[in-house]
Amino acid sequence: APSWPLNKIAKVDLAILRLSVYELLIEKKTPQKVVIDEAVEIAKEFGNESSSSFINGVLGTIIKNA
């Protein structure tokens, strides 16, 4: 989400993204689809109504560009 400043992203969404990006790009032990699915499920549980689609989009873009 290059056009979104970090201070405009909800704290819950930011925490989910940080953990997911770490798992996708650094740790690489868990399959990418599993990381994204779990992040979306956590966003549905703890984020707002648009969090899950936002997180899905951001993580999808990260995978495409990695």
Side-chain angles (χ1 to χ4, degrees):
S3 62
W4 285 86
L6 288 179
N7 62 352
K8 297 291 183 185
I9 299 174
K11 300 298 182 195
V12 171
D13 295 351
L14 192 57
I16 295 168
L17 285 172
R18 283 180 175 153
L19 179 60
S20 300
V21 169
Y22 173 79
E23 289 181 357
L24 289 172
L25 301 179
I26 307 298
E27 194 167 289
K28 299 181 182 180
K29 292 181 181 177
T30 308
Q32 292 176 338
K33 290 185 179 189
V34 173
V35 172
I36 292 174
D37 184 54
E38 290 297 318
V40 168
E41 290 301 317
I42 293 169
K44 286 179 183 177
E45 181 74 23
F46 296 105
N48 61 37
E49 60 188 40
S50 63
S51 291
S52 59
S53 59
F54 175 72
I55 287 176
N56 188 40
V58 170
L59 294 177
T61 301
I62 288 172
I63 288 175
K64 286 180 190 175
N65 295 330

